[in-house]
Amino acid sequence: MAAPLYPFFDLANIVMVFLLAVVAVAVRFGRGPAVLASFLGVAIFDFFFVPPRFTFAVGDMQYLMTFVVMLVVGLVIGQLTAGFKYQAQVAGWREARVKALYEMSRDLSGALVPEQITEIGSRFLATEMNMRAAFLLTDAADRLQVPAQVAAGFPEIDPGIAQWAFDHGEAAGQGTNTLPASPILYLPLKAPMRFRGVLALEMRDPARLLGPEQRRLLDTFASLIAIALERVHYVSVAQETMLQMESERLRNSLLSAISHDLRTPLSVLIGLVDSMFLTQPALDEAQAGIARKLREQALRINAQVNNLLDMARLQAGRIHLNRQWQPLEEVVGSAIRSLRPMLAEHRLKVDLPDDLPLVEVDSVLMQRVFCNLLENAVKYTPPGSGIWIGAFTSGSQMEIHVEDNGPGLPKGREEAIFRKFERGQQEGSTPGVGLGLAICRAIVEAHRGSILARPRPGGGACFVITLPLGNPPPVALDDGQSPPPGN
């Protein structure tokens, strides 16, 4: 190509043609052929164009410098050109993979169940990274589950390695420092809130380990999968919560309607039974016994209806507290007086210190709390057992204990018994619908307090009510003096 130029151009200009050839070779074939083209270009230029021509001998020693510069420039140009070409290829690969990640994330945004997410992830790994995958996801208790089915020919999954990667939040298996002899790479699926599982990967070409670029892409992929799994989980939780809230609202409305409709006939029934004792001739002993039993059962049903109605009102927020400062012993005393016949067969002890401060409560509702707790103690303890009520101050709070020495609480259900319609183990022989403790918690929490249940040392149950003390107003005495602090 350069031979026709020899009669018309200087040798310096012909050198440029050879350098252009090196650039073309580097662009077309890469770094190695560009180096070879540089050396061949110097040799051809010397043989065909430098006098004496058609020989490698050099008549003028200055051409040696020309050869050296020509060779160095050719090598540098070839290397730079090949490097730029490689960078352009890498940029193209990155663009393609970013596009694939974008398309995958777009597909993940429309996934509604974990199975769709795993299918999208497996397809991406197979097409973009030439890998096969198995997904070990967590269950509702955050325990790692080995998939029941994997692709045919997939190596056996080691649950121990997968669990280690899940527990430590680090990759394990092939290509890592942890059990590298494993044929599978285990990657934890880390979401913003928690780990959602482990990704088990089999490279179809085991001889080609993951490079930094592939590893970063794989980490990005694992993060997208984990975020998608977490999104689906919380969407499911939100749907279940909304369903529960709607079911709760409908149930409260139904309970309120039924309670209202039952109160009138129950009141009429109780009135009719009471009028039977006033009729003439007087009831004989057998008839009076039947009437008393009928009145007792009607009152029990009426109490349960009132519980249902109160629970519905509390849940709907239709009960407003009439809070006033008053001594705790008056509230407890009112509850005990209303249950005196029921408490007759039990040993009741009340230990309330004289220096207890006033509490700001709705006396009617707090009396209901103590009534429910005492009724529970009577129902779930045998006759002759003891019931204790005590209170003391602790910092800015007052703690009130209601204890008994009965069979105690069902183990592991100390919190569950405060749910609506939840009861203990002796459901078959004990009357009630399981609303008493739920009403207690709703009332106490409305007073910005808390109530919990725990086993009593020595046997039995202990219910602990915590109420904020606040700042009670001073109470003037008859002689015009203020009482000492705490009274």
Side-chain angles (χ1 to χ4, degrees):
M1 181 176 115
L5 304 177
Y6 181 75
F8 308 102
F9 294 93
D10 294 336
L11 294 182
N13 294 325
I14 296 177
V15 168
M16 298 297 104
V17 177
F18 284 94
L19 295 178
L20 180 61
V22 172
V23 172
V25 172
V27 171
R28 180 66 179 84
F29 299 104
R31 182 173 286 106
V35 172
L36 178 61
S38 298
F39 282 98
L40 288 178
V42 171
I44 293 172
F45 177 73
D46 179 22
F47 188 82
F48 287 101
F49 297 98
V50 175
R53 300 177 65 192
F54 306 111
T55 178
F56 289 106
V58 179
D60 189 346
M61 298 302 295
Q62 291 184 1
Y63 281 110
L64 294 177
M65 179 59 69
T66 302
F67 297 155
V68 172
V69 172
M70 181 179 175
L71 179 62
V72 171
V73 171
L75 291 174
V76 171
I77 291 176
Q79 294 300 311
L80 290 176
T81 304
F84 291 148
K85 178 186 177 183
Y86 176 75
Q87 292 297 327
Q89 291 176 343
V90 170
W93 294 336
R94 289 177 179 172
E95 180 184 1
R97 288 189 169 178
V98 168
K99 181 181 179 182
L101 280 175
Y102 166 75
E103 293 176 350
M104 184 191 74
S105 63
R106 183 183 60 191
D107 294 339
L108 289 176
S109 65
L112 300 177
V113 293
E115 290 74 13
Q116 290 179 311
I117 295 174
T118 57
E119 190 276 330
I120 293 170
S122 299
R123 185 171 65 246
F124 174 86
L125 290 171
T127 57
E128 298 298 328
M129 303 191 70
N130 196 28
M131 296 180 180
R132 293 197 301 175
F135 292 84
L136 292 78
L137 305 182
T138 55
D139 58 11
D142 283 339
R143 292 188 299 263
L144 198 63
Q145 301 294 308
V146 177
Q149 295 181 347
V150 295
F154 195 88
E156 183 179 358
I157 296 175
D158 190 327
I161 304 178
Q163 189 65 48
W164 187 95
F166 180 79
D167 293 338
H168 292 79
E170 299 178 6
Q174 187 179 32
T176 68
N177 296 326
T178 304
L179 302 172
S182 172
I184 298 177
L185 172 63
Y186 298 88
L187 283 179
L189 298 174
K190 184 178 181 181
M193 297 298 296
R194 64 186 67 182
F195 289 97
R196 293 294 169 183
V198 172
L199 174 62
L201 292 172
E202 180 206 14
M203 288 182 286
R204 293 180 179 177
D205 184 7
R208 190 185 72 175
L209 295 177
L210 291 175
E213 185 78 18
Q214 288 179 308
R215 188 55 184 270
R216 285 193 295 270
L217 176 66
L218 200 54
D219 290 341
T220 303
F221 165 82
S223 297
L224 289 175
I225 292 294
I227 292 172
L229 289 170
E230 188 162 272
R231 176 186 59 80
V232 168
H233 169 74
Y234 283 116
V235 166
S236 175
V237 170
Q239 290 175 341
E240 292 177 1
T241 303
M242 290 182 64
L243 181 61
Q244 291 176 357
M245 291 174 61
E246 185 64 19
S247 300
E248 190 73 12
R249 187 187 66 81
L250 292 174
R251 184 166 62 178
N252 288 337
S253 299
L254 179 62
L255 291 178
S256 179
I258 292 175
S259 301
H260 276 293
D261 291 341
L262 288 176
R263 293 184 75 184
T264 299
L266 282 173
S267 299
V268 173
L269 179 60
I270 295 172
L272 290 174
V273 173
D274 289 339
S275 66
M276 290 174 64
F277 291 97
L278 303 176
T279 60
Q280 294 296 331
L283 300 177
D284 59 30
E285 187 61 30
Q287 293 172 335
I290 294 174
R292 282 192 293 269
K293 285 291 185 182
L294 180 60
R295 186 179 190 278
E296 178 184 334
Q297 292 301 317
L299 288 174
R300 184 176 69 82
I301 296 175
N302 188 61
Q304 293 179 358
V305 168
N306 287 334
N307 276 342
L308 291 171
L309 187 58
D310 288 346
M311 194 72 245
R313 287 174 176 174
L314 287 168
Q315 291 290 325
R318 293 199 298 266
I319 292 183
H320 301 285
L321 301 182
N322 180 21
R323 303 181 65 175
Q324 297 180 4
W325 293 99
Q326 49 197 311
L328 180 65
E329 54 265 24
E330 290 188 5
V331 180
V332 175
S334 299
I336 294 174
R337 284 192 296 272
S338 66
L339 298 177
R340 192 175 299 278
M342 184 181 296
L343 295 169
E345 298 182 356
H346 288 73
R347 295 179 289 108
L348 177 63
K349 181 179 179 182
V350 180
D351 184 13
L352 299 178
D354 295 334
D355 60 349
L356 276 181
L358 301 178
V359 288
E360 189 182 17
V361 296
D362 186 314
S363 59
V364 176
L365 292 179
M366 286 305 299
Q367 179 182 339
R368 186 67 175 275
V369 171
F370 289 110
C371 286
N372 286 346
L373 293 178
L374 291 173
E375 286 178 1
N376 264 6
V378 171
K379 286 192 296 186
Y380 289 98
T381 59
S385 57
I387 302 174
W388 296 270
I389 300 177
F392 60 90
T393 58
S394 176
S396 61
Q397 296 178 327
M398 178 184 292
E399 279 196 16
I400 308 165
H401 290 211
V402 180
E403 305 179 12
D404 63 64
N405 61 352
L409 300 168
K411 187 175 181 181
R413 291 177 55 83
E414 291 84 355
E415 183 65 23
I417 58 176
F418 287 99
R419 301 173 190 159
K420 289 186 296 185
F421 307 105
E422 288 283 348
R423 304 178 61 200
Q425 297 175 345
Q426 302 175 345
E427 297 181 9
S429 59
T430 305
V433 293
L435 281 177
L437 292 179
I439 291 175
C440 290
R441 169 160 286 184
I443 293 174
V444 172
E445 290 181 349
H447 285 80
R448 299 191 300 274
S450 63
I451 181 172
L452 57 88
R454 64 191 183 197
R456 177 178 175 269
C462 175
F463 291 87
V464 181
I465 301 173
T466 304
L467 295 174
L469 286 179
N471 298 308
V475 179
L477 300 180
D478 293 340
D479 57 1
Q481 301 295 324
S482 297
N487 290 339

